[in-house]
Amino acid sequence: MNKSTIYDVALRAKVSNATVSRALNTPEKVKPETRNKILAIAKELGYKPNAMARGLASSKSTQVAIIVSDLARASVAEMVKGISEVAESYGYNIVLLNVKGDEQIDELLMDIVSLHVDGILYLNDELTEKQSHLVKELKDNYLIPIVLVNTESIGDDDLLSVTIDYEKAGYEACKTLIQEGRKHIVLFTTQKRYPVSILKEKGYLRAIKEYGLEELMCFTSGNLDINKSDIEKYLNEHQDIDGVIGVRDSISIAALNILVYKGKKIPEDVSVFGFQNTRYTLLCRPQLSTINVPIHEIGARAMKILTTEMSGEVQDAKGKVILEHSIIKRGTTK
Amino acid sequence: MNKSTIYDVALRAKVSNATVSRALNTPEKVKPETRNKILAIAKELGYKPNAMARGLASSKSTQVAIIVSDLARASVAEMVKGISEVAESYGYNIVLLNVKGDEQIDELLMDIVSLHVDGILYLNDELTEKQSHLVKELKDNYLIPIVLVNTESIGDDDLLSVTIDYEKAGYEACKTLIQEGRKHIVLFTTQKRYPVSILKEKGYLRAIKEYGLEELMCFTSGNLDINKSDIEKYLNEHQDIDGVIGVRDSISIAALNILVYKGKKIPEDVSVFGFQNTRYTLLCRPQLSTINVPIHEIGARAMKILTTEMSGEVQDAKGKVILEHSIIKRGTTK
DNA sequence: CTGAAAGCGCTTACAG
DNA sequence: CTGAAAGCGCTTACAG
């Protein structure tokens, strides 16, 4: 059993607990001699500051909440991994919170208030209007720094966000297929109206209109199993499709597989394009062409903004940071 | 700005803060009349108990640490999702911690001590001997409940674990292929010696020996990119392979794709079998036959053990809980 | 550079 | 059923 407190260290070092605290947190304020002695004793005693006590006294928890919708999705998991690595390097611990739709969002936010986290990374691309408003309220009422990650706020909720230009990405995805000579390009998107999906659609539509092609959008459930039948039905009714874009890699791959089963050659007969560059893209056959999202940069930037806000230096409570994405061509495009 | 404390509530309700605390935590100890009044005022004031203060006073953080190696792996992400849902239903918050090999494991554990989490879920199937020992030490020195999830301890570190019988699963996977008439069954496993991989290998070997077949094991890096060349090389050198088992779905799928590119028909020429039943299995072509791991049951059971240990009731500090797995046959087996 | 003291916001025996 | 009081383990002005 090993639970020494700051007093145990102070006692052994023959100093006050205040000095021990300083030796640990602001070493420059302590005479080197004293400091070294304290540090040695702390180590010897296996002293580990109690984060709760420290948090209570300093009103800083050194915890950041990460809010996700569905961690089982590769894009989400990969992003959380990237962000948590950055957060750890900043000395923050991650509290992982799951939003399941709009029902329990109130509880969730209450929970966060209780936790007194130093900041919130909201990386739920399935952000709804209700959530957007509540998050804004939370920020305003409790002055807690919040950054939306890989998504952006809805309407006039001017929340900070770090993301890529999904409209442009959608445009480029579509244009890539157009330039391959595709004439009948379908966009498989989500039934639910999420900000990011909508942006991708806009970009797709812009390219379609620019080149005078036909708009072809199919709204799938987003659920892996159900998607399949939605997509299958659509492709059966539209035999002339020669280009497919999915708003998620998983959707694109579902379509890819169906196309192959229908006897299409990829990419000879049909080009397929995804979004996010998840691991899925490497496990399908052929490997999926997609939009690459700079996960680590996004995570790093979001944490940077959060720390700046947390330090209370600059409070530019609005603004959107757009990072560069790139197009990755693999086997599903020519 | 909305930061009322327990005193604000007490003041308005004309009671002591102790009574407010009781009304919130042990309502049966407060007269209904008083209780309702307090609850109403608390709600009106938007009072949210400060988790750090509560934790400090009660020495219970209601936080559980989840330790993972690589959240970007589907099996890990899906498991974390399942477990965090269970933990949330128990009222615990999740602190997500990443182990990156053996280097920073000491820091990580120190961090956990500081955090004063109520329990630890160690769901790193890439568990090493060093980690196993340190975790055991942590448990013994700080009396903190720890459960290994989907993995098990090494050597004589008698840590609690909740997992499936991976030896049996390996045996069954191999036997499934044998019963399809396969004679040259290779096991693609990881170079690094993890407890779970080793169990799968044992099971594979048991079936191979039982039926007098040839042992064929190939040790891959575990890294998605590198795996591919390892596997490709192996398959080129062993043209007679008619059965493939991978210790992870992703490895099996990598092999599956290579086989198809080599002109093999799946499952006519070669059967392929995976482990874990991740989402990957639904996105490959054909869909992968695999061992299904009961994620939610594992999570639920692990949390149950943790809460029991945390309550200090039973302290059966050793023991292995084995849950039932199942075999899922899809398109990669006959 | 160091110490005494107050305070962070709760919980929990102890009395009554 | 309720209150006064001590205490959880730190931090941080304030003095010196």
Side-chain angles (χ1 to χ4, degrees), chain A residues 79-125:
Chain A
M79 185 73 81
V80 171
K81 185 190 177 194
I83 288 180
S84 66
E85 283 170 359
V86 178
E88 279 171 16
S89 77
Y90 274 88
Y92 286 92
N93 284 117
I94 297 296
V95 179
L96 183 70
L97 269 359
N98 300 89
V99 229
K100 330 163 195 18
D102 279 1
E103 307 79 38
Q104 291 149 302
I105 179 80
D106 310 75
E107 289 175 48
L108 185 81
L109 298 182
M110 298 299 78
D111 220 33
I112 293 182
V113 174
S114 269
L115 248 22
H116 285 249
V117 296
D118 296 336
I120 299 175
L121 260 17
Y122 204 95
L123 62 111
N124 176 14
D125 57 0

Side-chain angles (χ1 to χ4, degrees), chain B residues 31 57 106 150 173 189 197 239 260 292:
Chain B
K31 191 165 52 164
D106 311 76
N150 204 30
T189 181
S197 294
Q239 297 286 351
V260 173
N292 181 54

Side-chain angles (χ1 to χ4, degrees), chain B residues 273-289:
Chain B
F273 208 94
F275 265 100
Q276 201 78 15
N277 197 25
T278 56
R279 289 195 176 190
Y280 298 148
T281 60
L282 301 177
L283 290 171
C284 62
R285 198 174 66 247
Q287 295 192 331
L288 188 68
S289 299

Side-chain angles (χ1 to χ4, degrees), chain B residues 160-179:
Chain B
L160 284 172
S161 57
V162 180
T163 180
I164 67 164
D165 187 341
Y166 278 108
E167 195 275 343
K168 188 177 167 208
Y171 174 81
E172 291 171 353
C174 191
K175 194 160 171 182
T176 300
L177 300 199
I178 292 172
Q179 287 174 336

Side-chain angles (χ1 to χ4, degrees), chain B residues 6-7 21-22 25 47 54 57:
Chain B
I6 199 170
Y7 291 103
S21 176
R22 290 192 198 99
N25 301 316
Y47 168 66
R54 176 177 272 181

Side-chain angles (χ1 to χ4, degrees), chain B residues 19-55:
Chain B
T19 303
V20 176
S21 176
R22 290 192 198 99
L24 262 27
N25 301 316
T26 49
E28 69 281 5
K29 290 187 181 170
V30 177
K31 191 165 52 164
E33 206 183 310
T34 326
R35 186 205 309 155
N36 293 333
K37 187 177 174 189
I38 292 174
L39 261 27
I41 292 176
K43 192 168 184 183
E44 188 190 338
L45 258 45
Y47 168 66
K48 315 284 170 326
N50 181 320
M52 291 185 291
R54 176 177 272 181

